[in-house]
Amino acid sequence: MATTKLLFLLSAIAFAFDLQYVKAKIVPEVSQLQKSYDFIVVGGGTAGNVVANRLTEDANTKVLLIEAGIDNEGQEDLIVPFFGTEASPDTIWTWNYTTTPQPALNNRIVNYPRGRVLGGSSSINFMVYTRGSKDDFNRYASFTGDEGWSWNSIQEFMLKTEKLVPSSDNHSLAGMIDPSIHGTSGNIEISIRGSEMVIDNMVIETTKQLPSEFPFNLDMNSGNPLGVGWTQSSIGGGKRSSSATGYLAPQFRARPNLDVILQTQVTKVFRTGTQGGLPIFRGVEFAQSASGHRFNLTANKEVILSAGSINSAQILMLSGIGDKSALQKLGIETLIDLPDVGQKMIDHPLISTQFNVTGTDTFDSVSQNVTLLLEQFTEYNTTGQGPFVDGATDHLGWFRLPKNTTIFDGIADPSAGPTSPHHEMLFANGFASFVSSSPTEGHYLSILNAVVSPVSRGSVTLNSSNPFDFPIIDPGLLSSPTDVAVLVESLKTTRRFLAAPAWKDYIIAPFGTAENLTTDADFEAFARANTGTVFHPVGTAAIAPKNAKPGVGVVNSNLTVRGVSGLRVVDASVLPFIPAAHPQSAIYAFSERASTLIKQTWGLPSS
Ligand SMILES: Cc1cc2nc3c(=O)[nH]c(=O)nc-3n(C[C@H](O)[C@H](O)[C@H](O)COP(=O)(O)OP(=O)(O)OC[C@H]3O[C@@H](n4cnc5c(N)ncnc54)[C@H](O)[C@@H]3O)c2cc1C
Ligand SMILES: *[C@@H]1O[C@H](CO)[C@@H](O)[C@H](O)[C@H]1NC(C)=O
Ligand SMILES: *[C@@H]1O[C@H](CO)[C@@H](O)[C@H](O)[C@H]1NC(C)=O
Ligand SMILES: *[C@@H]1O[C@H](CO)[C@@H](O)[C@H](O)[C@H]1NC(C)=O
Ligand SMILES: *[C@@H]1O[C@H](CO)[C@@H](O)[C@H](O)[C@H]1NC(C)=O
Ligand SMILES: *[C@@H]1O[C@H](CO)[C@@H](O)[C@H](O)[C@H]1NC(C)=O
Ligand SMILES: *[C@@H]1O[C@H](CO)[C@@H](O)[C@H](O)[C@H]1NC(C)=O
Ligand SMILES: *[C@@H]1O[C@H](CO)[C@@H](O)[C@H](O)[C@H]1NC(C)=O
Ligand SMILES: *[C@@H]1O[C@H](CO)[C@@H](O)[C@H](O)[C@H]1NC(C)=O
Ligand SMILES: *[C@@H]1O[C@H](CO)[C@@H](O)[C@H](O)[C@H]1NC(C)=O
Ligand SMILES: *[C@@H]1O[C@H](CO)[C@@H](O)[C@H](O)[C@H]1NC(C)=O
């Protein structure tokens, strides 16, 4: 994000605040891998580490985890929440993807980073932790015909993921969260802000001054996120909590039945036999460089693809599992004709508006002043306190369009139901943008707006049969006019929010091209010129609808690939709809349940 390139200033500075390194067990060379594993997990990201952890709870089950990126341990910059927005794009921890030119965004190309490090995108994301709504999960259940994905059923797995911890400044949580609905012993630490921002009071005051449009919501993770509330983050004790720190912590890495190999890219999965009339895909081919030797390994029980929404689809297609005519054009033999692989991709378009403000206590002070930056970093390093303990936003707002809206006339309301928002507002105490760089002077408030129940769909397709070529990524941002109309409403909602008396002495005026927007057409032009994404792609290997014909959808509701034995997908790509939320919580919960399903299939003891 355009705050400042803080990381490159600090990356040379080692710090040691409370870090306890235990030498991790990583298999250094392919030659040292074992001859056989029960399960091979492809991708040590958000989902993959959950699966690797849960399956190795049984000491008799041998698991190999293959990750393309490097180890998260030793990458101190990834730990500091304040640096969260600096971990992407185009860093040593990312796949440096970009989109195709997006027609609805004036043909702009948008950065599309994914994590390429243990922890995957959970090691580089912005740590916002939102579960989604009851209706989001109940729609998963009704669409797939599997009650196990419903809100009530998934609670068990959400609680299993979470460990609610005190804020790093140990302030009272009263009035900021409902601790009774949260997990207390899970792997991912969750907390509320540990350092006050100057805008916090103004946001809360607005919920008192304009309560009918902007009600306060004590806990947006209760199943009904609507309203404005305090952001919960995957941060514990002022440090990022990722699937790598949580599910691959030293005590888990030390398990003798878990092997992890890094900087190794899976190039395809392959057929190893037939079972019950279905082709078995338990073979994994991998390499350590584009021109390097291709190695093969076979799992005794299952291969689990957890390479994320871009790469799981890519691997399936490279393996001959995908749309026959598209694969044929690239000279890839189709083994399983599944036209939906890579299709129906869904993402959340996001736009930022900045406002000049009268105050000076913004993160712009830090971006613009290296002395202050080092001062605050030292405070963080030595005391574990100060602004660096937090991510970019202390509050989020989730809203539905009014009941009499005409935007959905003639189409079904794209939200999952009455507890699911149509759009979101995020508050940042400084200049935040993913499409323009920060000015070198001034102080700002940024409000970011996202369409969270979008109609638009995109795709991931192959550009070539070479696994080391980037796939073609077209998230179709704002390709539906409905989404454009929702985003315009969201921008106008923001202006009403800031018209509350709470902001009277603080806001000077909208910055730059946001200055004179009045008509819907003005806001639409602004949206097309400035929208990007909040990096939430899902759906590229989606669960099929219940009773689907063969060849429809990509995985069954137990996440096995349709028409295949021995192969499952467990990651963001299986979600058939995008949750109206930042999706990491949903992905953790899906991964926890998937691990339970895999254990049940193989009669492994449950945890
Ligand atoms: C910049 C950014 C900010 C975000 N902010 C938030 C946020 O604040 N809150 C939130 O809830 N969500 C956020 N998200 C989204 C969220 O982080 C992702 O949806 C989620 O982490 C995806 O999990 P996953 O398991 O599907 O994939 P990933 O976590 O991306 O894991 C995939 C893993 O597979 C590896 N891999 C890929 N291909 C191969 C291969 N061929 N061989 C071997 N390994 C491979 C990758 O290197 C990676 O480690 C953000 C995402 C990004 C990119
Ligand atoms: C961080 O703290 C450690 C010891 O706690 C110290 O060695 C190091 O110099 C500090 N770094 C900075 C940038 O203050
Ligand atoms: C992404 O860009 C960074 C910075 O230029 C580079 O170090 C890294 O190797 C690139 N990643 C990939 C997968 O190409
Ligand atoms: C944090 O606050 C709680 C309740 O106010 C108190 O009991 C506890 O001792 C405090 N912990 C620390 C580490 O200060
Ligand atoms: C790996 O398996 C594939 C599919 O069976 C085969 O084509 C390839 O030759 C094998 N490669 C090696 C190095 O054994
Ligand atoms: C930069 O920060 C330092 C430390 O807080 C402060 O003393 C100095 O006045 C600041 N410089 C500017 C130009 O604001
Ligand atoms: C919806 O109702 C509100 C409040 O009654 C009104 O102000 C608004 O104009 C109506 N909108 C439409 C599209 O009818
Ligand atoms: C906002 O601040 C910047 C930097 O000081 C300045 O150039 C710009 O004119 C200001 N805009 C408004 C609307 O005040
Ligand atoms: C696809 O391949 C073509 C031809 O090699 C190349 O020009 C283009 O940049 C590639 N696209 C992507 C997304 O890599
Ligand atoms: C906004 O309108 C004012 C007054 O007409 C004009 O001076 C200014 O340049 C306009 N700003 C933008 C960004 O177009
Ligand atoms: C998964 O579900 C499909 C479809 O219901 C079923 O055919 C298959 O046997 C199941 N596989 C496992 C491993 O449970």
Side-chain angles (χ1 to χ4, degrees), residues 90-96 116 470:
D90 301 342
T91 67
I92 57 169
W93 312 293
T94 55
W95 297 91
N96 306 333
R116 190 172 186 265
F470 284 0

Side-chain angles (χ1 to χ4, degrees), residues 353-356 495 508-519 522-523 526 530:
T353 309
Q354 300 85 30
F355 300 84
N356 287 52
R495 299 302 175 97
I508 298 169
F511 172 77
T513 57
E515 200 176 352
N516 298 326
L517 309 182
T518 47
T519 65
D522 294 341
F523 280 102
F526 179 74
N530 294 288

